[in-house]
Amino acid sequence: MVRETTARNGGRGRGHDAAGYELDEIDERIIAALRHSGRIANRDLARIVDVNEATVRTRLRRLEDTSSVRVVAMRDLSAMGYECLSAVGIQVKGRSAADVGRDLAELEEVVTVNVAIGTHDLEVQVVAHDLADLDRLLTHVIAHIPGVEKMVPGLALKVLKYTPDWAPL
């Protein structure tokens, strides 16, 4: 279990308005420490950030209430055997992009779905165990979803940056 973080100054909080909440240096240090170890005890976190434990508890509660931080479990894609990562631009015909996107979002191998403007109606990211699995996913699964007109996949040869600690809430 890790604490997934997003350092944004907006969004929907649980009863608190995050729009007026600005992260300060202490908040940023707490978030940085949580990114390193989401299971860290508040006592240890307080020592690292150099504040008392009550301050850490208060700050964490506010960060969670303003939807700046949340606790989630995250999958390690390579540990699960996914060796291929592909960005796929999709053009849609005969259905709305949002409807096709919802169908794509149901697939376990699809890790992101974005309705886009520009060359593609949808931009998705998919993972596969190997090239044969990627071929199967693209040609026998995604290509047969009603409304998928054209796909433009790109295979990641080397991932230089992947930041899974930013997510929409």
Side-chain angles (χ1 to χ4, degrees), residues 103-148:
D103 288 348
L104 289 166
E106 295 294 319
L107 301 173
E108 182 178 346
E109 300 93 343
V110 175
V111 294
T112 65
V113 178
N114 302 300
V115 175
I117 198 165
T119 308
H120 307 106
D121 300 308
L122 295 169
E123 293 177 354
V124 300
Q125 226 179 14
V126 301
V127 293
H129 295 288
D130 52 34
L131 288 176
D133 191 34
L134 181 61
D135 176 42
R136 176 202 58 78
L137 177 64
L138 294 175
T139 61
H140 297 291
V141 178
I142 293 176
H144 292 282
I145 291 176
V148 172

Side-chain angles (χ1 to χ4, degrees), residues 36-134:
H36 180 70
S37 175
R39 302 181 92 183
I40 190 170
N42 287 349
R43 175 185 67 252
D44 298 329
L45 186 54
R47 190 170 43 252
I48 291 169
V49 177
D50 197 28
V51 296
N52 67 47
E53 190 174 346
T55 299
V56 166
R57 273 195 307 276
T58 301
R59 295 291 185 119
L60 283 173
R61 191 175 314 112
R62 183 171 51 204
L63 289 168
E64 290 172 347
D65 285 349
T66 60
S67 297
S68 297
V69 172
R70 66 178 168 165
V71 178
V72 297
M74 295 179 63
R75 296 178 180 187
D76 181 330
L77 296 175
S78 62
M80 294 178 62
Y82 291 110
E83 299 300 324
C84 295
L85 176 67
S86 178
V88 183
I90 298 176
Q91 292 177 347
V92 174
K93 186 174 182 181
R95 291 179 72 199
S96 74
D99 286 344
V100 174
R102 281 189 276 283
D103 288 348
L104 289 166
E106 295 294 319
L107 301 173
E108 182 178 346
E109 300 93 343
V110 175
V111 294
T112 65
V113 178
N114 302 300
V115 175
I117 198 165
T119 308
H120 307 106
D121 300 308
L122 295 169
E123 293 177 354
V124 300
Q125 226 179 14
V126 301
V127 293
H129 295 288
D130 52 34
L131 288 176
D133 191 34
L134 181 61

Side-chain angles (χ1 to χ4, degrees), residues 145-165:
I145 291 176
V148 172
E149 174 73 9
K150 180 180 177 183
M151 291 184 296
V152 181
L155 181 61
L157 298 176
K158 182 187 281 188
V159 178
L160 300 176
K161 179 180 181 183
Y162 184 80
T163 310
D165 52 330

